[in-house]
Each structure stands twice: as structure tokens, then as C-alpha cells.
Amino acid sequence: VAPEEISDPVYTPPAEESAEESVESDKGEEVVESDKAVSEEDEDIAEEVAAPVEEPVEVVAEEDKDEEMAEPEEVVEAVEPDQDEEMAVSDDEDIAEEVPAEVVAPVQETRKTVKAPAMVVPAKPASLLKKEARAAELASKTAASSKKLATLKAARRKEIVKKTAKYYKQYEAADKEEVRLAREAKANGNYYVPAEARLAFVVRLRGVNNIPPKPRKIMKLMRLRQINNGVFVKLNKASKEMLRIAEPYITFGYPNLKTVRELIYKRGFGKVNGQRVAINDNTVIEQALGKYGIVCIEDLIHEIFTVGPHFKQANNFLWHFKLSCAKGGLRKINNHFVEGGDFGNREHFINNIVRRMN
């Protein structure tokens, strides 16, 4: 083509389409695409139905299941703690529905036992074990010692009974000897004069008012500090002179065995470490006077009544007797006994007033 023939092209704008035509064309294209997609899906389903089931399909299914099971784990990690508890409760309920009741009951029991285990008793501490061992050892020792003491006490009691019987035989023999001597003297036309008394029992009758110094001092030495106090006194020259000086304020006489026994048994108290102790057991006497051969109350009575070699220690052991007022009263304390009064020497009539005061 020659250059002269080429002409400038003329621009012709495209024809404008209406809005409705453009919308309809778009819809038509979408419908065509959807139809194509539906036809493709139908073809895939038909192929799957027609194809036989093979093992690889199961493997794929299992893998899909594993993936499905794995997905909730990721979701569970993102869930809050409250949702975890609710999911755990729902899982337990599902398991309980699947498992029979016979199997669930033992499981629940085991859970309960695990939640509340039995209390374990702790071992005893070493200090408690030592204490129990000491207590057991002490109990065995005390049992053995008490058994020994019981045997010793039984043997000692037999000795005391024998000794008491011997004492009473001596008293009886002495009384019979006195009677024999008196009858023998009478048969020969004589008089029997018994031996002078060696023991006296002294009782205070007057108070503290208007008493001279000497009688006051003598009564203090005899431990007669209050009215109706009584003591045993060994009669000798010195004691007789003291009794003569304090005679207007006291009364005394010669007690017999019955009076001595009743006083010591009923009103007898011992002096132990300066304390007034009741003589309710022979051990009290044995501890104080055992070194002198006085181990029981009968030994004490025998030592006092016969004025034995250890009379001083035995009489000092005895607390002074606190007698009551004489039953029936006294006659007149300002007059001598031989004048119808009360003070002075009564000899063997002292037994009557002591029985009324004991």
C-alpha cells in the first residue's frame, strides 16, 4: 500500500449498553457457572458410588477421624477453666451412660475411698515410750516391794501376838503372886505390905491465875500447861518432892494396867519431829522407838506400866494427854482429897476419875 493511500483512522466509540442488559448478562454468567459446578459434583458423587470400597479409603477415613479428634484438643486448650469443668462433667456422664450400673458402683466406691483415706495413727514419740517404760519398771518395783512388806508385816504381826501373850502372862503371874503373899501373911497372922508404886499419873486441876512461880515452873516441866492435861511420871525422890510442891493445883495417883491401856489406846498421840501424830499404826512407834526394842503399842504399854529401862524415851515420845472434864463434875478443887476435895494424892482411886475424864 502506498503511503498516500493510508488514511487516518477515525475513532468510533462503542455503543453504550443499558444497565439492565449488563445486570442480566452477569446473572446469566453466574447461573452458567453454578450449573457447571453442580454437574461436576453430581459426576463426583456418581463415581464414588460406583467405585468399590477399598482399604485406602478406610485409612483416609481414620486419618480424617484423627484430624477431627485432634481439632477439639486445640479448641479445648483455648476454652476457659469453667468450660473445662463442664466438658469433664459431660464426658463423665457420657461414660456413665455407656458403662453398666454394676461396673459404676465399685468405681464410685474406689473413688470415695481414695478421696477420704483412713486416718493413719502416728507412731508414739520417744518421750512417751520412755515414760511408759519408767512407769512399768516403777510398777514392777513397787509390786515387788509391797509383796515383801506384806510378808514382813505378817511375820512381824505373829511376833507381836506372841510378845503380847507373854506380857499378859507376866501381868497375871504378878497379880497371882500379890494375892499369894497377902494370903500367906494373913495365914501367919501378919500383914502384907505391897511395894511402893513406881508409876504415877498426874492431872492438872487449876488454871493459870494466882499460881506461885515454883508450882508454875514444876507444872511446866511436867508438860501440864492446861487444865485437864495428864502425864505419866516416874516416882522417885525428886519427882515426889516436885509433886508435893505442886500438890494444891494437881491430883495424882497410881494407875493400874487397865487405865494405862485405855489412855494410850484412846488418847495416845506420839511426838514425831515436834509434831503431834496419832498412833494409828505400829510403824509410827517403830520409827521413833525401834532402836530401844519398842516396835508396837503393847511394847509401849509394857514399858510405861512396868517403868522399864527406856521409860524416859517412851514417856517423852507420848504427847501429854488432853482429857475431858470429869463426868459428873468434881467435888471441890480447893480442898484435899482426904478432906472431901479433889487435889492431892488419890493413890489407886485415880483410876476412877481418869475413867470419868477419858
Side-chain angles (χ1 to χ4, degrees), residues 60 78 99 108 117 126 135 159 189 209 220 269 278 297 358:
V60 171
V99 179
Q108 291 179 353
E159 294 178 0
N209 294 332
K220 184 179 179 180
F269 284 82
I297 195 166
N358 191 6

Side-chain angles (χ1 to χ4, degrees), residues 147-159:
K147 189 175 181 181
K148 289 181 181 179
L149 287 174
T151 55
L152 289 173
K153 190 177 284 187
R156 192 171 297 169
R157 188 173 181 81
K158 290 181 180 179
E159 294 178 0

Side-chain angles (χ1 to χ4, degrees), residues 169-182:
K169 285 182 180 179
Q170 293 178 5
Y171 303 146
E172 188 177 358
D175 291 340
K176 287 182 178 180
E177 183 66 16
E178 290 287 327
V179 173
R180 188 189 66 78
L181 292 174

Side-chain angles (χ1 to χ4, degrees), residues 78-317:
V79 176
E80 295 180 355
D82 296 339
Q83 293 179 358
D84 291 341
E85 293 178 359
E86 292 176 358
M87 291 176 69
V89 171
S90 63
D91 294 339
D92 293 338
E93 291 177 355
D94 297 338
I95 292 168
E97 290 176 357
E98 294 176 359
V99 179
E102 296 177 355
V103 179
V104 172
V107 173
Q108 291 179 353
E109 291 179 358
T110 54
R111 286 181 180 176
K112 289 180 181 178
T113 55
V114 170
K115 288 182 180 178
M119 185 177 68
V120 179
V121 179
K124 292 182 180 179
S127 60
L128 183 59
L129 293 173
K130 290 180 181 178
K131 183 179 179 182
E132 290 179 353
R134 286 197 305 269
E137 185 179 358
L138 183 62
S140 62
K141 287 183 180 179
T142 52
S145 62
S146 62
K147 189 175 181 181
K148 289 181 181 179
L149 287 174
T151 55
L152 289 173
K153 190 177 284 187
R156 192 171 297 169
R157 188 173 181 81
K158 290 181 180 179
E159 294 178 0
I160 290 170
V161 170
K162 290 180 181 179
K163 195 183 293 186
T164 304
K166 185 180 74 173
Y167 290 154
Y168 277 87
K169 285 182 180 179
Q170 293 178 5
Y171 303 146
E172 188 177 358
D175 291 340
K176 287 182 178 180
E177 183 66 16
E178 290 287 327
V179 173
R180 188 189 66 78
L181 292 174
R183 287 176 179 176
E184 186 178 353
K186 186 177 180 180
N188 296 328
N190 298 324
Y191 293 95
Y192 173 71
V193 180
E196 292 186 0
R198 303 174 61 192
L199 177 68
F201 186 73
V202 186
V203 181
R204 180 168 177 166
L205 299 178
R206 298 282 293 274
V208 296
N209 294 332
N210 300 325
I211 297 179
K214 277 192 176 180
R216 184 191 297 272
K217 182 64 176 179
I218 289 169
M219 286 189 287
K220 184 179 179 180
L221 291 173
M222 291 183 178
R223 299 181 296 170
L224 301 173
R225 297 175 179 273
Q226 294 175 328
I227 298 175
N228 298 332
N229 280 3
V231 292
F232 291 109
V233 175
K234 180 180 179 180
L235 291 176
N236 52 31
K237 186 175 181 181
S239 61
K240 287 179 182 178
E241 188 65 23
M242 293 168 67
L243 291 174
R244 186 187 64 79
I245 295 171
E247 191 175 18
Y249 311 100
I250 59 175
T251 184
F252 61 96
Y254 315 131
N256 56 19
L257 178 62
K258 183 179 180 181
T259 302
V260 175
R261 289 186 77 253
E262 287 179 352
L263 281 170
I264 293 175
Y265 269 105
K266 186 175 180 180
R267 303 267 182 178
F269 284 82
K271 183 168 60 177
V272 179
N273 297 326
Q275 301 294 321
R276 186 173 182 251
V277 180
I279 304 175
N280 51 15
D281 193 2
N282 288 328
T283 56
V284 178
I285 299 171
E286 185 177 3
Q287 290 174 359
L289 303 173
K291 56 186 176 181
Y292 304 113
I294 302 170
V295 296
C296 64
I297 195 166
E298 288 295 334
D299 290 342
L300 184 62
I301 292 169
H302 180 73
E303 192 72 17
I304 294 293
F305 180 68
T306 58
V307 191
H310 302 292
F311 174 84
K312 180 180 178 180
Q313 290 81 5
N315 192 32
N316 190 39
F317 167 75

